[in-house]
């Protein structure tokens, strides 16, 4: 696999003008960089009025972006308190009693990028995503713990699966635990297991996720939701490689690579006392940031074509060459504010295929269907005129979402809905929705 490099940002320096560290210069620094009083920061400040993770400087779509991490005393740019703002050469940053000057030299910073346009199920060709692929290629070869950070819908679980599938543990289990989906009283058992009779309802012994993943990879999704009282036990498992099931006095050794993901700002949670600092350091051995779609808008075309091809295949369409998006569709998609990131783009395309005119969809022209959906959604914001209309509206939207979730598989959607497949077909016809997949059952 070849590697390249692209110019994405300039390296920078921070010079302390006032405060306990006056006269100190930090740099040259690359993005992202973190500032605060905790030892893990690249910009380590001894000012007691500075939070442990006070602010960070990241790469934004228009240049270096300073982001306040919900610090106690705030971050100021000049005389203005900011949540986030773009930086220019000479900008004055105030954190607590410390005043820093942001300086950019004439030399440029180049970052390594991969020649690949896919990594596992991840797709893209923008510099940001190819820089991510280069980092993942390195991380897949080692056994280090990785903290995957990014907004909802950016594909954090796909990153974890790609690291597992391209690494030395690929033939071993990949176990997922959603730390935000289980009740706090059950998450401990889900992670570490329990013995028979350990608590009410524990009728049989059960292995936890660590034991199930032994030899393979454990993916802790939304690790920021883990109750703070369980965080010390997770830390011990990570550091010692042993777990103790609920109700047992014996520890069991496990060999597990741990990958964790979160959409939350864990540094901010450390500042607020809602996440243990030592656990954060243990998880963030190798932090990875998955860029949001607005920072890689050049990937909308390749992702949109991929989702269109997948939706058409689910609809039974056969095509010799990969379908393309019409110019109108591409302009429309690139102009949308896709706050749900890649997941929202996927759902938008799949829903358009379900509702759109078949011939237009075959030509990659999703724009009319997307505009119609937007108009329908605006109308649906208004309360229906009657209870009957409300029920019909809910039923239609329920069918659309269910068909999109199962990629048009009517049998699977009917099973999820708890109705007979023939009844589900009647509902599809009633609401004039297009069937997306014909099964052996419905032909019989």
């Amino acid at each position: 696999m070849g590697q390249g490099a692209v110019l994405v940002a300039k390296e920078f320096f921070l010079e302390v003008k006032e405060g306990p560290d006056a006269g100190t210069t930090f740099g040259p620094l690359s993005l992202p960089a973190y500032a605060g009083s905790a030892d893990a920061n690249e910009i380590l400040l001894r000012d007691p009025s500075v939070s442990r993770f006070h602010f960070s400087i990241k790469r934004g779509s228009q240049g270096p972006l300073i982001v306040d991490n919900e610090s106690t005393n705030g971050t100021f740019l000049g005389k203005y308190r900011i949540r986030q703002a773009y930086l220019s050469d000479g900008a004055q940053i105030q954190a607590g009693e410390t005043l820093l000057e942001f300086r950019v030299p004439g030399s440029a910073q180049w970052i390594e990028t991969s020649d690949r346009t896919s990594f596992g199920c991840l797709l893209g060709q923008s510099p940001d995503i190819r820089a991510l692929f280069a980092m993942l290629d390195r991380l897949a070869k080692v056994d280090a713990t990785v903290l995957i950070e990014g907004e909802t819908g950016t594909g954090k679980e796909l990153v974890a699966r790609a690291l597992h599938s391209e690494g030395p543990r690929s033939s071993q289990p990949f176990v997922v635990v959603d730390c935000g989906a289980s009740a706090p009283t059950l998450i401990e058992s889900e992670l570490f297991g329990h013995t028979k009779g350990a608590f009410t309802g524990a009728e049989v012994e059960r292995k936890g996720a660590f034991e199930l993943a032994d030899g393979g990879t454990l993916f802790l999704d939304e690790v920021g939701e883990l109750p703070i009282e369980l965080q010390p036990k997770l830390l011990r498992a990570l550091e010692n490689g042993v777990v103790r099931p609920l109700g047992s006095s014996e520890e069991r050794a496990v060999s597990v690579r741990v990958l964790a993901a979160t959409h939350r700002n864990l540094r901010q949670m450390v500042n607020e006392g809602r996440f243990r600092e030592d656990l954060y350091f243990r998880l963030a051995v190798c932090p990875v940031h998955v860029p949001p779609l607005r920072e890689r808008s050049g990937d909308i075309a390749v992702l949109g074509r991929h989702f269109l091809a997948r939706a058409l295949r689910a609809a039974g369409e056969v095509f010799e060459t990969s379908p393309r998006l019409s110019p109108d569709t591409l302009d429309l998609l690139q102009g949308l504010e896709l706050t749900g990131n890649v997941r929202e783009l996927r759902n938008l395309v799949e829903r358009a295929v379900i509702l759109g005119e078949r011939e237009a969809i075959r030509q990659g022209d999703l724009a009319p269907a997307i505009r119609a959906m937007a108009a329908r959604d605006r109308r649906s914001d208004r309360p229906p005129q009657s209870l009957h209309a409300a029920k019909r509206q809910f039923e239609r939207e329920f069918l659309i979402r269910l068909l999109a979730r199962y990629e048009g598989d009517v049998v699977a959607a009917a099973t999820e809905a708890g109705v007979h497949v023939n009844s589900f077909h009647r509902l599809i016809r009633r609401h004039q929705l297009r069937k997306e997949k014909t099964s052996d059952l419905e032909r019989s």
Side-chain angles (χ1 to χ4, degrees):
M1 180 197 69
Q3 300 289 331
V6 293
L7 180 64
V8 293
K10 293 181 178 180
E11 61 186 12
F12 67 95
F13 294 81
L14 281 175
E15 182 180 349
V16 182
K17 296 292 189 179
E18 299 175 7
D21 299 292
T24 302
T25 298
F26 298 95
L29 298 167
S30 58
L31 303 173
Y34 301 92
S37 58
D39 291 339
N41 290 286
E42 290 86 355
I43 306 152
L44 178 58
L45 302 172
R46 294 177 296 171
D47 183 350
S49 62
V50 167
S51 296
R52 299 193 63 75
F53 295 98
H54 200 101
F55 66 83
S56 54
I57 301 177
K58 302 181 178 181
R59 181 156 39 92
S61 59
Q62 301 175 43
L65 185 72
I66 183 170
V67 180
D68 178 69
N69 287 326
E70 296 293 330
S71 58
T72 303
N73 298 321
T75 300
F76 292 79
L77 195 59
K79 61 181 180 179
Y80 298 103
R81 182 168 183 168
I82 57 98
R83 181 173 298 172
Q84 63 179 35
Y86 283 101
L87 293 169
S88 58
D89 189 31
Q92 303 288 303
I93 303 167
Q94 186 80 42
E97 299 299 322
T98 297
L99 177 67
L100 306 102
E101 183 177 271
F102 179 81
R103 292 193 287 107
V104 180
S107 60
Q109 175 197 359
W110 296 75
I111 64 167
E112 182 185 29
T113 61
S114 172
D115 291 339
R116 299 171 62 163
T117 56
S118 66
F119 193 92
C121 291
L122 299 163
L123 298 174
Q125 55 192 19
S126 64
D128 279 349
I129 203 68
R130 289 192 295 115
L132 175 64
F133 291 168
M135 179 181 291
L136 296 181
D137 191 60
R138 290 175 178 269
L139 292 176
K141 296 177 173 63
V142 298
D143 230 19
T145 303
V146 177
L147 178 63
I148 307 164
E149 300 175 292
E151 297 175 9
T152 298
T154 51
K156 296 185 292 296
E157 183 171 340
L158 294 181
V159 170
R161 290 185 180 276
L163 285 172
H164 172 75
S165 64
E166 302 222 1
R169 294 177 181 258
S170 59
S171 62
Q172 300 301 313
F174 179 85
V175 178
V176 180
V177 174
D178 188 339
C179 298
S182 299
T185 53
L186 298 178
I187 189 68
E188 183 174 4
S189 171
E190 187 170 355
L191 284 171
F192 307 113
H194 62 254
T195 61
K196 181 178 179 180
F199 52 85
T200 303
E203 299 178 355
V204 295
E205 181 175 339
R206 179 182 184 273
K207 287 185 177 181
F210 270 91
E211 288 190 84
L212 293 173
D214 193 17
T217 302
L218 174 60
F219 175 51
L220 302 176
D221 198 11
E222 295 302 344
V223 71
E225 311 301 323
L226 189 69
I228 196 162
E229 61 270 17
L230 288 184
Q231 293 177 20
K233 192 165 186 178
L234 174 59
L235 179 63
R236 285 195 297 272
L238 293 175
E239 291 187 334
N240 302 327
V242 295
V243 295
R244 179 182 295 169
L246 280 170
S248 174
S249 59
E250 297 181 358
E251 292 185 332
R252 302 174 185 177
V254 291
S255 171
V256 174
R257 183 185 191 181
V258 174
L259 308 175
T262 181
H263 76 282
R264 296 193 178 277
N265 187 331
L266 293 189
R267 300 170 194 84
Q268 174 187 330
M269 294 178 68
V270 169
N271 285 341
E272 296 170 349
R274 296 189 292 123
F275 201 85
R276 288 179 63 107
E277 184 177 356
D278 49 4
L279 178 58
Y280 168 75
F281 289 147
R282 186 62 184 79
L283 290 171
V285 174
C286 296
V288 168
H289 175 70
V290 186
L293 199 53
R294 64 179 173 275
E295 293 179 8
R296 42 180 293 221
S297 59
D299 290 333
I300 287 178
V302 65
L303 290 168
R305 288 195 297 269
H306 169 73
F307 295 138
L308 174 61
R310 192 172 74 171
L312 288 174
R313 279 194 294 269
E317 297 284 351
V318 179
F319 37 85
E320 295 181 0
T321 60
S322 181
R324 304 187 66 82
L325 295 174
S326 71
D328 281 352
T329 299
L330 191 55
D331 288 344
L332 179 60
L333 291 176
Q334 290 177 332
L336 294 176
E337 187 178 352
L338 297 168
T339 55
N341 290 297
V342 178
R343 183 182 296 136
E344 182 180 353
L345 176 63
R346 180 197 67 197
N347 292 344
L348 188 65
V349 170
E350 290 178 351
R351 189 178 170 201
V353 169
I354 292 172
L355 298 178
E357 291 296 327
R358 181 60 55 215
E359 192 55 40
I361 296 299
R362 288 195 189 102
Q363 301 302 317
D365 189 7
L366 282 66
I370 293 174
R371 292 192 181 101
M373 290 187 309
R376 187 181 298 112
D377 290 344
R378 285 194 295 272
R379 290 196 301 270
S380 69
D381 289 339
R382 298 193 296 269
Q385 295 179 347
S386 67
L387 179 60
H388 174 74
K391 289 179 178 178
R392 186 175 180 86
Q393 177 180 306
F394 171 81
E395 189 174 75
R396 179 181 176 83
E397 292 299 318
F398 175 78
L399 293 172
I400 290 170
R401 289 194 298 269
L402 206 56
L403 285 167
R405 181 188 305 170
Y406 288 100
E407 300 182 352
D409 189 327
V410 175
V411 175
T415 302
E416 173 72 14
V419 299
H420 192 276
V421 66
N422 292 336
S423 300
F424 201 86
H425 281 303
R426 283 194 292 272
L427 290 171
I428 290 174
R429 289 193 295 271
R430 179 190 303 167
H431 291 283
Q432 298 181 331
L433 301 179
R434 296 179 179 275
K435 293 185 293 183
E436 293 304 309
K437 188 173 182 179
T438 304
S439 69
D440 293 335
L441 177 60
E442 67 183 277
R443 286 195 295 265
S444 62

